[in-house]
Amino acid sequence: MKQRAHPPHAAWALLERDSEAPAPHNWALFLDVDGTLIEIAEAPDAVHVDDGISNLLARVSESLDGALALASGRSLEVLDRFFEPLLLPAAGLHGLERRSATGKVSRSDGSAALGPARQELERFVAGHPGTLLEDKSATLALHYRRAAGAEAAAREAMARVHAALGSGYRVQEGKMVLELKPHHPNKRTVVEDFMTEAPFRGRVPLFIGDDITDEDGFEAAQRAGGAAIVVGLEQGGGRTSAARYGLGGVPELHRWLEALCGCLEAR
């Protein structure tokens, strides 16, 4: 799917009665986390999760008969800690971990293959103050948010370890982060897999995210006749998105989810 050359439409239109999009009560909702539900922080472990977001997600999930799933680069363990006591269907590590609506958890473990890459990236971080290696076991994320001047060197280091691993892996770009991960699964396959299972089966997917990592999810949802919302896309920032709809940022998404609850509960 080609990316849009013009700004996405305001996502509030999806909640209007005369919208051409499927009615909200028929949606299967997929939500990214960092930069979407919660603000991005200087370091992965420095994020703040609003106290009310778990209650809001629980309301939306109940109103959709459970057809709400998280799709994140975070691990399931971290997602559960963020939103406790809520345990939602979720895909962690871009789909390498997945918990179904019935609670069944499946994992793909490729951590051993990443041993040499892990060692080389640890050496890189030791020599470049401000960079950070986030070791997720099955994937490796190299952050340079605190060391923007190290971006070129970080890209070179990641290109070297990627070349050594071969075609089974890819470098997934994000907001000031490069993540080394297997080619599959990804957020496209996350949507496709959940849509084969109850309570998602027979519904229309709506994927909401903010980053390049979410584009696979956007395209999967729209190809299935659904919709996609990009959160916080900066105009003039040089990036376009496949998503047809947009919201200004995390606070606006929270307001949109509150309005969605109103629509669903009123029905």
Side-chain angles (χ1 to χ4, degrees):
M1 181 181 293
K2 297 178 69 174
Q3 291 189 326
R4 299 175 66 81
H6 52 81
H9 304 296
W12 295 96
L14 288 168
L15 302 180
E16 296 173 359
R17 293 192 177 187
D18 59 352
S19 171
E20 295 180 359
H25 67 272
N26 286 327
W27 289 344
L29 185 58
F30 298 91
L31 291 165
D32 173 52
V33 176
D34 290 86
T36 302
L37 284 172
I38 60 177
E39 299 282 6
I40 292 175
E42 286 296 306
D45 59 355
V47 300
H48 171 73
V49 182
D50 291 340
D51 292 338
I53 189 63
S54 292
N55 288 335
L56 178 57
L57 292 176
R59 286 175 58 201
V60 177
S61 178
E62 183 178 2
S63 298
L64 290 173
D65 297 323
L68 183 155
L70 302 176
S72 174
R74 299 275 192 171
S75 68
L76 292 181
E77 179 184 6
V78 172
L79 295 177
D80 291 346
R81 187 166 69 246
F82 280 173
F83 304 114
E84 64 179 348
L86 192 60
L87 289 177
L88 291 168
L93 304 181
H94 308 283
L96 288 167
E97 300 179 334
R98 195 169 76 91
R99 180 171 57 230
S100 70
T102 63
K104 181 181 178 181
V105 175
S106 58
R107 289 184 170 89
S108 300
D109 184 12
S111 58
L114 291 177
R118 182 177 291 107
Q119 293 175 2
E120 183 164 346
L121 292 175
E122 286 173 346
R123 287 193 293 269
F124 174 85
V125 167
H128 293 80
T131 61
L132 171 69
L133 180 63
E134 185 184 5
D135 188 346
K136 306 178 186 180
S137 183
T139 75
L140 299 171
L142 181 59
H143 297 262
Y144 53 89
R145 181 172 296 276
R146 293 177 172 173
E151 178 180 358
R155 289 183 178 277
E156 290 176 5
M158 189 61 85
R160 286 196 302 272
V161 298
H162 179 214
L165 277 169
S167 60
Y169 283 77
R170 63 188 286 196
V171 177
Q172 177 70 67
E173 296 197 25
K175 293 179 177 176
M176 306 194 82
V177 60
L178 302 167
E179 186 160 5
L180 187 65
K181 62 179 291 292
H183 260 292
H184 299 286
N186 53 45
K187 292 190 179 182
R188 173 183 60 80
T189 60
V190 165
V191 172
E192 293 172 348
D193 289 345
F194 271 117
M195 292 301 294
T196 67
E197 303 171 353
F200 303 89
R201 187 191 303 116
R203 289 175 170 267
V204 180
L206 171 63
F207 196 104
I208 306 179
D210 73 302
D211 206 350
I212 297 170
T213 60
D214 299 306
E215 292 294 330
D216 289 332
F218 295 161
E219 295 189 5
Q222 290 175 160
R223 281 177 178 156
I229 299 173
V230 59
V231 175
L233 183 68
E234 297 179 5
Q235 299 304 317
R239 182 191 154 210
T240 56
S241 174
R244 299 190 186 103
Y245 297 93
L247 290 168
V250 172
E252 188 177 9
L253 173 62
H254 291 181
R255 294 193 296 272
W256 188 90
L257 290 173
E258 288 280 5
L260 172 60
C261 278
C263 291
L264 295 171
E265 290 167 355
R267 181 179 180 276

